[in-house]
Amino acid sequence: NAGVTQTPKFQVLKTGQSMTLQCAQDMNHNSMYWYRQDPGMGLRLIYYSASEGTTDKGEVPNGYNVSRLNKREFSLRLESAAPSQTSVYFCASSELLAGEQFFGPGTRLTVL
Amino acid sequence: QQQVKQSPQSLIVQKGGISIINCAYENTAFDYFPWYQQFPGKGPALLIAIRPDVSEKKEGRFTISFNKSAKQFSLHIMDSQPGDSATYFCAASVGNDYKLSFGAGTTVTVRA
């Protein structure tokens, strides 16, 4: 039981490049989330998915797109990376209507 | 603008002492208030959570105090141990989506 897994662990991009961050969970959770963590800002919600096929914007969605591929997987795409997107990205999942979110280990992204 | 304001930014406590972290919010619709603990290089993990119908919740050495009229809640860590050294985040959400708004975080260092 791996919980929430994220790939890659580290990534360096140049401005304008695109990439997809992958997230998968094996806990049969319905809800999945993408957050970014920046120093002094805590974690901020980028996108949320209540179930397969549904997504909803969070606090900071600009510059990102998401895909809920199936119940297990929720990917985050940066179409044209900007230095302001340098951050640590966390994926999380939870049971529907339950408060506890289980976080992955994070992806540290640097955009030059 | 952060919806949940957290203080202090950091604190140092001696082993056996009490750590106190405070959070304040403005949105009176918030109905779920969790605290997350994060160790370096790891994702956050739920520590304890409270709903506004109770004023205090205790789990082991960790206690949440909640003051609905003041729109404040706090985390008390009793008998602090070196293993408690971590970053602590308060958060809040509305309804069943659990789209969390996080505070900026408090780094706690427990000196042996």
Side-chain angles (χ1 to χ4, degrees), chain A residues 33 35 37 40-43 45 48 56-57 59 90 97-101 103-105, chain B residues 1-2 32 36 38 41-46 89 96-100 102-105:
Chain A
Y33 309 79
Y35 294 91
Q37 182 176 18
M41 301 290 290
L43 290 91
L45 182 65
Y48 159 67
D56 189 19
K57 292 179 180 178
E59 183 184 351
F90 287 100
L97 306 182
E100 181 173 8
Q101 293 181 22
F103 283 79
Chain B
Q1 182 178 354
Q2 279 193 296
Y32 176 68
Y36 278 79
Q38 184 180 31
K42 304 292 186 183
L46 180 67
F89 294 95
N96 293 330
D97 287 347
Y98 296 101
K99 294 190 286 187
L100 295 173
F102 280 86

Side-chain angles (χ1 to χ4, degrees), chain A residues 54-112:
Chain A
T54 69
T55 60
D56 189 19
K57 292 179 180 178
E59 183 184 351
V60 289
N62 291 345
Y64 305 95
N65 287 301
V66 290
S67 295
R68 184 73 183 268
L69 305 169
N70 47 56
K71 192 172 185 179
R72 288 187 64 247
E73 298 173 290
F74 188 35
S75 62
L76 179 72
R77 183 161 177 82
L78 287 70
E79 291 291 351
S80 179
S84 61
Q85 294 178 305
T86 294
S87 187
V88 181
Y89 291 86
F90 287 100
C91 176
S93 71
S94 69
E95 292 181 5
L96 191 64
L97 306 182
E100 181 173 8
Q101 293 181 22
F102 294 83
F103 283 79
T107 294
R108 184 173 294 274
L109 175 67
T110 301
V111 183
L112 302 175

